[in-house]
Amino acid sequence: MSKVTVVGAGNVGATCANVLAFNEVADEVVMLDVKEGVSEGKAMDMMQTAQLLGFDTTLVGCTNDYAQTANSDVVVITSGIPRKPGMTREELIGVNAGIVKSVAQNILKHSPNAILIVVSNPMDTMTYLSLKSLGLPKNRIIGMGGALDSSRFKYFLSQALGCNANEVEGMVIGGHGDTTMIPLTRFATYKGLPVTNFLSEEKLNEVASATMVGGATLTKLLGTSAWYAPGAAAAFVVESILHNQKKMIPCSVYLEGEYGESDICIGVPVILGRNGIEKIVKLELNADEKAKFEASAKAVHATNAALKEVGAL
Ligand SMILES: NC(=O)c1ccc[n+]([C@@H]2O[C@H](COP(=O)([O-])OP(=O)(O)OC[C@H]3O[C@@H](n4cnc5c(N)ncnc54)[C@H](O)[C@@H]3O)[C@@H](O)[C@H]2O)c1
């Protein structure tokens, strides 16, 4: 019996639960939210699609009842407020730090062995907060941002190339922020060939810029932050762990000297399997990429410092 809990049954959480069920990633998916009846209603609504879509996963919704989340293998934390147009992810720290910390503590009381996936923003800092406050081994705390940003990067690359996004490979590392993420155009490929063979430097710069503001562009269009790709990206990470797929996915993980950084959670490629983070993959960055990574880490450190100011650490 495999069980996944998604905390926060809002836009991202409910989408994640829906994808997990539709793809039968787990036998049971529990959604928990503080809003009375919302998780229960969404779970029932999704269960009424089971026969139409042909899945066997059981969905359960509950209002703040952590007993129902007991013995989860993986827990996805999406609770908190999303940004509104014009806001940065970093501005959410005051509210979300308290929510993420208390949710994670409650979860661990009932699922002491769970692997945690942190989605709430500012995600790198929320991942760091979880790591520092919960005392779990670092392989069990994973921040989801790179899976989404990489998927957006592949989308923009495919648009520029005029091909299907599945023909393209590419990764985004660094912080999960508009100015801190680093789309690695030098490593991106189209059917195994470097994209630099097909696209001009100018075009590749446009793709990188569109990727970096990808979330902000959608926030402006939607009036709140996006959910289909974020929810699907979180489910993608859960699947690699629960099914021991050993996929290489950029995730925010605790670094102790890797990539020249320490005491930080930031996006780097990792292998995800049944033990959570099974390996941090080392990329040989060139001078420009290294400088960008350093600047990104500096910005994430600065946001982490705010955790003390808001009394979360
Ligand atoms: N990491 C990423 O790639 C990524 C992508 C998109 C959004 N996000 C972040 O994910 C978070 C959720 O975004 P959303 O669009 O789903 O927001 P949303 O407002 O639609 O949903 C958030 C839900 O959390 C619930 N909640 C609040 N406090 C709670 C608590 N203590 N316990 C349980 N539930 C609680 C709310 O009731 C709400 O239903 C935001 O912080 C957003 O910035 C991250």
Side-chain angles (χ1 to χ4, degrees):
M1 244 297 279
S2 58
K3 178 168 174 177
V4 176
T5 287
V6 182
V7 184
N11 287 336
V12 177
T15 305
C16 175
N18 200 27
V19 173
L20 288 171
F22 181 56
N23 289 338
E24 297 182 326
V25 172
D27 296 312
E28 185 180 355
V29 177
V30 176
M31 277 185 282
L32 180 147
D33 203 287
V34 282
K35 279 190 205 143
E36 191 77 41
V38 168
S39 294
E40 291 86 340
K42 290 194 180 181
M44 193 187 289
D45 193 11
M46 287 178 206
M47 282 301 281
Q48 290 170 3
T49 71
Q51 173 272 320
L52 300 166
L53 301 174
F55 64 78
D56 285 329
T57 296
T58 301
L59 286 141
V60 175
C62 62
T63 305
N64 235 10
D65 179 7
Y66 281 87
Q68 300 233 30
T69 70
N71 301 319
S72 293
D73 300 291
V74 181
V75 176
V76 184
I77 300 177
T78 75
S79 45
I81 52 166
R83 58 182 172 157
K84 297 283 171 225
M87 280 176 91
T88 67
R89 296 173 176 94
E90 288 73 19
E91 287 174 77
L92 306 171
I93 190 169
V95 179
N96 286 355
I99 294 176
V100 169
K101 195 172 165 184
S102 70
V103 160
Q105 286 166 341
N106 282 327
I107 281 292
L108 288 177
K109 283 182 204 153
H110 298 272
S111 302
N113 300 318
I115 292 172
L116 304 188
I117 298 171
V118 180
V119 177
S120 311
N121 275 319
M123 182 278 295
D124 298 291
T125 296
M126 293 302 111
T127 308
Y128 179 79
L129 170 65
S130 305
L131 192 116
K132 287 288 165 183
S133 56
L134 300 174
L136 291 185
K138 61 177 186 168
N139 60 306
R140 284 174 49 200
I141 302 204
I142 301 160
M144 193 298 288
L148 169 66
D149 300 330
S150 301
S151 182
R152 286 181 174 153
F153 182 37
K154 286 180 252 188
Y155 163 77
F156 287 116
L157 278 171
S158 70
Q159 294 284 301
L161 288 160
C163 70
N164 186 295
N166 293 316
E167 307 284 287
V168 177
E169 275 298 342
M171 271 194 285
V172 176
I173 62 167
H176 176 61
D178 296 350
T179 55
T180 58
M181 69 178 78
I182 308 160
L184 291 174
T185 42
R186 190 170 65 91
F187 291 91
T189 58
Y190 173 30
K191 276 285 166 209
L193 299 165
V195 292
T196 46
N197 288 10
F198 304 94
L199 298 172
S200 66
E201 195 180 334
E202 193 192 353
K203 195 75 205 164
L204 283 169
N205 286 338
E206 276 173 34
V207 165
S209 301
T211 304
M212 292 172 78
V213 297
T217 302
L218 287 165
T219 303
K220 205 167 155 201
L221 288 169
L222 298 166
T224 185
S225 78
W227 56 89
Y228 291 112
F236 186 73
V237 167
V238 172
E239 188 172 19
S240 187
I241 295 168
L242 213 51
H243 294 192
N244 201 23
Q245 289 174 327
K246 318 261 186 202
K247 282 193 173 137
M248 192 199 296
I249 304 173
C251 292
S252 187
V253 301
Y254 191 64
L255 298 185
E256 292 173 298
E258 299 92 344
Y259 287 84
E261 296 297 333
S262 302
D263 196 34
I264 190 169
C265 290
I266 191 166
V268 294
V270 296
I271 303 296
L272 290 181
R274 200 57 197 85
N275 299 313
I277 300 157
E278 305 215 332
K279 189 179 171 196
I280 294 176
V281 178
K282 176 100 182 67
L283 297 175
E284 286 306 325
L285 302 181
N286 66 22
D288 176 51
E289 292 153 355
K290 263 189 201 150
K292 283 183 178 153
F293 195 83
E294 250 174 58
S296 181
K298 203 170 160 200
V300 173
H301 274 301
T303 311
N304 289 350
L307 288 172
K308 289 211 171 76
E309 286 158 33
V310 299
L313 263 190

